[in-house]
Amino acid sequence: MVTIKKSPKVLKYQFKSFEKLPTRIWKNADEASVHVAQSIALAIRQKQQEGEPIVLGLATGSTPIKVYDELVRQHKEEGLSFQNVITFNLDEYYPMQPDAEQSYVHFMREYLFDHVDIKPENIHIPDGRISMDEIGKYCEDYEKKIDAYGGLDIQLLGIGRTGHIGFNEPGSWENALTRLVKLDALTRQDATKDFILEENVPYRAVTMGIASIMKAKKIYMMAWGSHKAPIVQKAIEGPVSETIPATFLQKHPNIITILDTEAAGELTRVKTPWLVGLCNWNKDLITKAVIWLSITAEKPLLKLTDEDYNEHGLSDLVVEYQSAYKLNIEIFNRLQHTITGWPGGKPNSDDSTRPERATPAKKRVIIFSPHPDDDVISMGGTFLRLVEHGHEVHVAYQTSGNIAVHDHDALRYLEFFREFGDHNSLEGENLLKKLTKIERFLQKKKPGQSDSNDVRLVKGLIRRGEARAGARFCGLPDKQIHFLDMPFYETGRARKKPLGQADIQIVEKLLQDIRPHQVYAAGDLADPHGTHRVCLDAITQSFQNLQKEKWMKDCWLWMYRGAWHEWGIHEIEMAVPLSPHELMKKRRAIFMHQSQKDSAPFPGSDAREFWQRAEDRNMETAKTYNDLGMAEYEAMEAFVRWKDLD
Ligand code: F6R
């Protein structure tokens, strides 16, 4: 069962809080964002009734986008007016032209200001064009202007992976006001998603200071996604320190931290709730606790003693099970039963304790791959096995993946095409004109500029060729390789459009055509641009829409994790072991994705190549299974079943 969406239940009494910031956890970022937007809308309306202005401190980045979406919706559908709203943005890159695509001016217009009735003179965003000589005075004036309006009524904040708020990076002082700052290396890496290459990201920014933020009357700090979980835990549970500037917020009298389940994943009450208070134990939570104990005590499951349980706050479990021995065996068996070399089910055998059904012996399978390489990176070994076992495997590449191809690779292909034509004296005036146009575009392209449609097509085709090579290597005939080119992805930028009906219909149609018994999808919710999440949403929404179809009763959805992180061991429901030979074959399938090798654009903050990440992760999973007392395998791919329709 998928447990990621539910936070473990902790009984209200005997609650020992580790949290120094008031925190509310929501099921997902959408619901949380609507809640924050509603609170802001309420405050705006209250001030309107009193005939007063309201001063909002605004943030940019991926975090507040859905809050702005909801405010725009309320403006359009519920008449929420912004006539009395005065805004001050937290920060801006420096130097930065306001009309540049990456500027926070552009961002705010795109997501909020162009869609509501705010007065232009009420908008304040630090100006990235001010000269070095004048910037000090400019910052002082920015601060004074906020004070002159009576200070910020509400401040919206995201949190960076360095623990920054605004661009107050580690080392920022508590009494710092608006000023010019240097950006941390990790922040620049994270910003690469908007600037395409890290070298295009400015080194500096103008930001409101910690003290400017602390003056706000009410603060909402938000965070979504598991990539934020470690820093969120430190900000909420750690000591106040300059090394994590967000911890200064612990001193604010009126702040609330709003998290989705994944961002809350490292909080003690979520990760190890038995250390916080009495738990409402269920099978999933017991499994999580016993596996945690085994890893913490560095002992295999079957060697855990009553004392180990007692010493680690888990004595209730020993009482309930009468002895550690019985419990150890139960969890050992549960974990043992997740292991199978038959991901499509083992024909003619008892499947009562196996992860997959024995029948039908030959299944129709769709592997959905958000980008044209996640199939082999994340489940290449299982892919190879499914084909080898004779299942009818289809692979569906959900997006074109075109933004992750270097310009020089696109040029190489264009030149190849031109020279091939020359060598064979091929005529084709239109084609030549087109090639010249695309080459010219690439030669003149400015750093950070979005690609033209033609260039995106070329880059998308490069990835298609690689994906086809990878899938063929895994044994698929061409008719079982599908390219969905979902439209939400096609912005030419790292930031994508929201999931639309057209996207869902494409996925739904493929499901209807194939009527699979097994579907594999990326359940990876931490990829840097959120593409995997949107791709998963398209699949789960299609499942909802198709739930009345008869064939759906036999259709199971398995989720794998992408290149970024693995499932928790306690969550895994199917673990497919790979031999050293299979691991090597998987590596070769990943090698087919040449444009993503060595230094792909947008690899995230991990410098390892995709095949290395995949191998390290698969070997780590096998090692943990072995440490827990299971047999020793070279590597393992892990899956969790999606059961929300049950
Ligand atoms: C943005 C800002 C930053 C971001 C933070 C998180 O105006 O000041 O502090 O809030 O970097 O960024 P995202 O939301 O993109 O994860």
Side-chain angles (χ1 to χ4, degrees):
M1 178 73 191
V2 186
T3 48
I4 46 166
K5 291 196 177 151
K6 293 161 200 139
S7 36
K9 287 192 185 76
V10 177
L11 299 184
K12 288 250 160 48
Y13 48 94
Q14 285 205 14
F15 189 78
K16 178 183 171 219
S17 183
F18 287 71
E19 294 165 22
K20 298 170 191 157
L21 276 174
T23 301
R24 196 157 165 201
I25 305 171
W26 291 79
K27 189 172 153 217
N28 57 49
D30 287 9
E31 283 179 22
S33 301
V34 168
H35 161 79
V36 172
Q38 278 169 351
S39 308
I40 296 172
L42 188 69
I44 295 175
R45 287 196 168 103
Q46 261 165 5
K47 287 279 190 178
Q48 270 160 9
Q49 274 178 3
E50 290 156 15
E52 282 184 18
I54 179 164
V55 188
L56 302 181
L58 299 180
T60 52
S62 54
T63 309
I65 290 180
K66 286 184 180 137
V67 175
Y68 298 146
D69 284 350
E70 171 63 13
L71 287 172
V72 170
R73 192 198 65 76
Q74 290 210 19
H75 170 71
K76 294 203 167 132
E77 294 172 19
E78 293 169 20
L80 174 68
S81 169
F82 285 72
Q83 288 283 309
N84 67 327
V85 176
I86 294 154
T87 63
F88 284 88
N89 264 80
L90 275 168
D91 42 23
E92 176 60 284
Y93 291 111
Y94 184 90
M96 181 54 68
Q97 293 298 319
D99 55 358
E101 230 176 62
Q102 296 85 1
S103 80
Y104 285 167
V105 173
H106 187 279
F107 177 100
M108 289 308 301
R109 292 189 56 174
E110 179 174 355
Y111 291 104
L112 185 65
F113 297 150
D114 281 355
H115 314 287
V116 295
D117 61 343
I118 189 164
K119 295 179 185 155
E121 64 272 24
N122 285 350
I123 296 172
H124 306 88
I125 302 178
D127 192 335
R129 293 169 301 182
I130 307 293
S131 72
M132 272 290 192
D133 294 345
E134 292 164 37
I135 195 75
K137 168 84 173 64
Y138 175 86
C139 291
E140 257 175 51
D141 290 347
Y142 196 78
E143 193 77 37
K144 278 188 198 149
K145 223 183 257 173
I146 304 177
D147 293 342
Y149 277 109
L152 303 164
D153 291 302
I154 296 177
Q155 175 66 59
L156 272 189
L157 292 179
I159 176 170
R161 288 194 304 143
T162 57
H164 72 211
I165 45 173
F167 276 135
N168 293 283
E169 298 287 16
S172 295
W173 293 358
E174 193 175 356
N175 55 1
L177 295 169
T178 304
R179 68 206 187 287
L180 185 66
V181 292
K182 275 198 207 143
L183 295 178
D184 192 278
L186 184 58
T187 300
R188 290 189 67 249
Q189 250 177 35
D190 283 349
T192 303
K193 62 181 184 288
D194 291 323
F195 290 85
I196 305 191
L197 289 175
E198 198 174 319
E199 62 221 48
N200 300 334
V201 182
Y203 285 87
R204 293 169 192 269
V206 177
T207 183
M208 277 165 51
I210 302 285
S212 337
I213 293 169
M214 292 295 278
K215 282 190 278 181
K217 294 175 191 104
K218 165 105 202 164
I219 298 178
Y220 293 96
M221 181 168 81
M222 305 172 291
W224 327 130
S226 50
H227 59 301
K228 292 284 174 76
I231 196 67
V232 161
Q233 185 274 334
K234 291 193 181 90
I236 295 178
E237 298 186 350
V240 176
S241 142
E242 276 170 24
T243 53
I244 301 189
T247 55
F248 288 123
L249 297 171
Q250 293 176 14
K251 297 185 181 179
H252 195 279
N254 193 10
I255 174 166
I256 176 131
T257 309
I258 309 274
L259 307 175
D260 67 356
T261 325
E262 286 95 43
E266 291 290 322
L267 293 182
T268 310
R269 72 162 131 151
V270 175
K271 195 173 179 187
T272 47
W274 46 90
L275 299 180
V276 173
L278 285 180
C279 292
N280 225 344
W281 292 106
N282 59 32
K283 281 273 181 286
D284 288 339
L285 191 57
I286 294 172
T287 308
K288 183 174 176 174
V290 177
I291 288 174
W292 169 83
L293 178 63
S294 174
I295 292 168
T296 311
E298 296 182 14
K299 283 181 175 182
L301 290 166
L302 296 179
K303 285 192 178 175
L304 292 171
T305 61
D306 289 8
E307 286 70 39
D308 291 322
Y309 281 87
N310 293 338
E311 278 167 20
H312 290 86
L314 290 168
S315 47
D316 330 354
L317 287 182
V318 181
V319 174
E320 201 168 317
Y321 279 77
Q322 282 143 28
S323 77
Y325 182 72
K326 253 168 93 182
L327 180 52
N328 294 345
I329 290 192
E330 188 175 313
I331 303 304
F332 179 90
N333 285 337
R334 185 173 167 154
L335 204 61
Q336 179 68 44
H337 293 153
T338 63
I339 303 174
T340 182
W342 297 85
K346 187 170 185 184
N348 309 317
S349 56
D350 173 15
D351 59 7
S352 55
T353 58
R354 289 179 176 277
E356 249 302 347
R357 302 146 293 173
T359 53
K362 298 282 180 240
K363 295 188 172 60
R364 284 188 302 279
V365 179
I366 303 180
I367 299 173
F368 281 102
S369 178
H371 299 99
D373 57 359
D374 295 301
D375 53 340
V376 285
I377 291 174
S378 303
M379 53 170 292
T382 306
F383 189 167
L384 285 158
R385 281 256 169 124
L386 287 165
V387 176
E388 195 182 300
H389 289 169
H391 301 289
E392 180 188 316
V393 180
H394 294 253
V395 65
Y397 300 102
Q398 291 179 273
T399 69
S400 68
N402 57 18
I403 63 160
V405 176
H406 283 295
D407 292 348
H408 56 76
D409 277 329
L411 260 178
R412 189 149 61 98
Y413 277 86
L414 291 164
E415 283 160 5
F416 171 85
F417 204 13
R418 178 188 289 284
E419 282 170 22
F420 180 79
D422 288 349
H423 276 282
N424 293 287
S425 310
L426 289 179
E427 297 290 318
E429 219 177 303
N430 286 341
L431 181 63
L432 283 180
K433 267 195 207 149
K434 189 89 170 171
L435 288 175
T436 311
K437 188 175 155 211
I438 306 176
E439 280 165 353
R440 290 236 170 96
F441 176 91
L442 285 172
Q443 280 148 3
K444 289 191 186 153
K445 190 177 154 187
K446 296 203 192 74
Q449 186 186 340
S450 298
D451 284 331
S452 65
N453 288 347
D454 287 333
V455 174
R456 270 157 47 200
L457 178 66
V458 171
K459 291 184 172 179
L461 291 179
I462 292 173
R463 296 211 67 182
R464 260 190 192 210
E466 293 169 349
R468 214 177 273 123
R472 282 180 190 155
F473 180 85
C474 292
L476 285 203
D478 288 3
K479 64 177 187 339
Q480 282 158 229
I481 304 173
H482 309 263
F483 294 97
L484 305 187
D485 288 335
M486 287 168 64
F488 85 90
Y489 183 87
E490 296 304 321
T491 58
R493 297 196 285 157
R495 242 180 255 290
K496 307 298 184 306
K497 287 183 273 188
L499 182 68
Q501 276 313 312
D503 300 298
I504 298 170
Q505 274 162 15
I506 292 170
V507 172
E508 235 178 271
K509 175 157 186 333
L510 185 75
L511 286 166
Q512 279 282 30
D513 289 349
I514 314 275
R515 302 178 173 224
H517 304 97
Q518 255 196 345
V519 169
Y520 289 86
D524 187 327
L525 307 176
D527 76 311
H529 312 146
T531 300
H532 286 208
R533 183 186 281 272
V534 180
C535 287
L536 179 64
D537 287 349
I539 296 167
T540 54
Q541 289 194 31
S542 301
F543 266 60
Q544 306 277 5
N545 296 347
L546 296 169
Q547 60 178 303
K548 298 240 153 59
E549 299 286 326
K550 223 169 130 212
W551 59 269
M552 274 290 289
K553 304 240 166 325
D554 288 325
C555 180
W556 286 18
L557 171 53
W558 288 100
M559 298 191 293
Y560 59 84
R561 285 244 156 124
W564 322 104
H565 67 322
E566 187 54 282
W567 298 105
I569 296 288
H570 62 281
E571 293 172 315
I572 296 173
E573 290 171 283
M574 176 159 74
V576 180
L578 308 183
S579 67
H581 173 71
E582 284 169 315
L583 196 62
M584 199 51 70
K585 253 186 119 174
K586 169 175 175 168
R587 186 192 293 185
R588 288 176 59 205
I590 299 174
F591 280 175
M592 297 294 167
H593 295 270
Q594 284 167 4
S595 70
Q596 305 302 298
K597 265 196 61 56
D598 303 330
S599 63
F602 308 117
S605 51
D606 190 332
R608 289 171 303 169
E609 283 194 37
F610 287 120
W611 66 271
Q612 289 168 316
R613 295 189 208 186
E615 276 179 28
D616 289 353
R617 199 183 67 184
N618 295 160
M619 290 170 96
E620 182 61 34
T621 307
K623 180 176 179 311
T624 311
Y625 264 68
N626 184 227
D627 290 346
L628 291 167
M630 310 292 129
E632 186 174 350
Y633 293 101
E634 176 76 357
M636 274 177 166
E637 289 176 343
F639 303 87
V640 166
R641 215 185 125 197
W642 185 82
K643 286 187 190 159
D644 272 15
L645 282 182
D646 289 2

